Amino acid sequence: MTVEMGLRERKKAATRDALSRAAMRLALEHGVEGVTVDAIAASAGVSTRTFHNYFPGKEEAIVAPLTDGARAVLTLLAGRPADEPVWDSVRAVLHEVVTPPERMEETVALLRIVQTDPSLVASQLCGLGEMQAEAAALIAARTGTDPARDLYPHLVAGVLGMTMRVVVSLWAGGGGDGDLPGLVDSALAQFRAGLPVPAPRPAPYAAALADPSG
C-alpha cells in the first residue's frame, strides 16, 4: 500500500509539473491573454477536467513554478534542527529555495511577465500569503510563541516571504546575473540590524539617476 501511494503521489506531482511547465511555456510564447486552460491541458497531454484537479485557473498554473518555491519553504523549515536559532534556519531555507533554477532564462522571462500582469501578481501573492501563514505556525512552534496572539512568528514569516520575493525580483531585473545567496544574506543582515537607513549613494551615481540621458 505504501509503495502504491508513493507511485500515485509521484505521478500526481509529475502531472502537476507538466501542467505548470506547459502553462509557463505558452505564456512566454503567446502572452497571458493568448493562453487558455484547454491549450495548457492539451500541451501537457491531459484533459481539461484533469487540469482543474490541480489548478483553479490558468493564472495559478502559470505562476506555479514561482509559488512552488513558497511551498518548498515549509518543507525545508520543518526539517531544520529544532534547536537551531530561528534566523539561522530562515537563512538556510532561503539559500536552498533561491538557488538559481535549471531553466534560468525561462524563470527570468516568467518573472517579467508576472510583474506586468495584475492577475498573475495576485496569484503569486496569494501563494506567498498561504505560505506565510503556515510558516508562522512552524516558527511559533519552534519559539514557544502563540500564532493566535503573538506578532513575532508572523513578522519572521513575513520577512521570510518578503525576502524571497524581493530578492528574486531584484535578481530577475538584473537579468539573472546577480548573486542570489549574497542578496539573501544582505537582506537578512539588514533586517537583523533593525533595517538601518543606508548611506547615501556617491554624488555621481545620484546625478546619473536624476539625469538618465547624461
Side-chain angles (χ1 to χ4, degrees), residues 187-208:
L188 293 180
Q190 291 182 59
F191 275 119
R192 296 179 78 167
L195 204 60
V197 177
R201 293 282 190 177
Y205 179 86

Side-chain angles (χ1 to χ4, degrees), residues 19 22 26 36-49 51:
L19 285 166
L26 290 170
T36 65
V37 168
D38 289 343
I40 296 171
S43 181
V46 301
S47 68
T48 301
R49 180 177 179 180
F51 172 94

Side-chain angles (χ1 to χ4, degrees), residues 133 136-141 144-154:
L138 288 172
I139 292 165
T145 52
D146 183 355
R149 295 186 300 174
D150 296 325
L151 284 171
Y152 183 80
H154 295 281

Side-chain angles (χ1 to χ4, degrees), residues 61-145:
I62 292 170
V63 301
L66 304 178
T67 54
D68 283 354
R71 304 307 305 175
V73 163
L74 300 173
T75 301
L76 293 169
L77 188 59
R80 300 302 302 176
D83 59 348
E84 183 177 55
V86 66
W87 286 110
D88 291 346
S89 295
V90 167
R91 177 180 180 272
V93 166
L94 284 173
H95 269 230
E96 287 199 53
V97 170
V98 303
T99 298
E102 295 178 4
R103 303 177 179 90
M104 186 176 67
E105 291 183 2
E106 286 185 355
T107 302
V108 171
L110 177 60
L111 280 164
R112 288 173 176 166
I113 288 178
V114 169
Q115 290 167 356
T116 60
D117 189 292
S119 64
L120 297 185
V121 170
S123 293
Q124 184 187 23
L125 290 177
C126 183
L128 286 174
E130 292 174 358
M131 178 276 290
Q132 286 178 204
E134 294 183 46
L138 288 172
I139 292 165
R142 293 170 61 92
T143 57
T145 52

Side-chain angles (χ1 to χ4, degrees), residues 7-54:
L7 291 172
R8 186 180 305 164
E9 291 304 312
R10 285 197 294 273
K11 184 177 179 180
K12 289 173 63 177
T15 300
R16 188 181 187 282
D17 183 66
L19 285 166
S20 68
R21 290 296 170 187
M24 178 177 69
R25 185 175 62 255
L26 290 170
L28 294 178
E29 292 174 357
H30 306 292
V32 178
E33 293 188 358
V35 179
T36 65
V37 168
D38 289 343
I40 296 171
S43 181
V46 301
S47 68
T48 301
R49 180 177 179 180
T50 296
F51 172 94
H52 286 296
N53 288 336
Y54 292 88

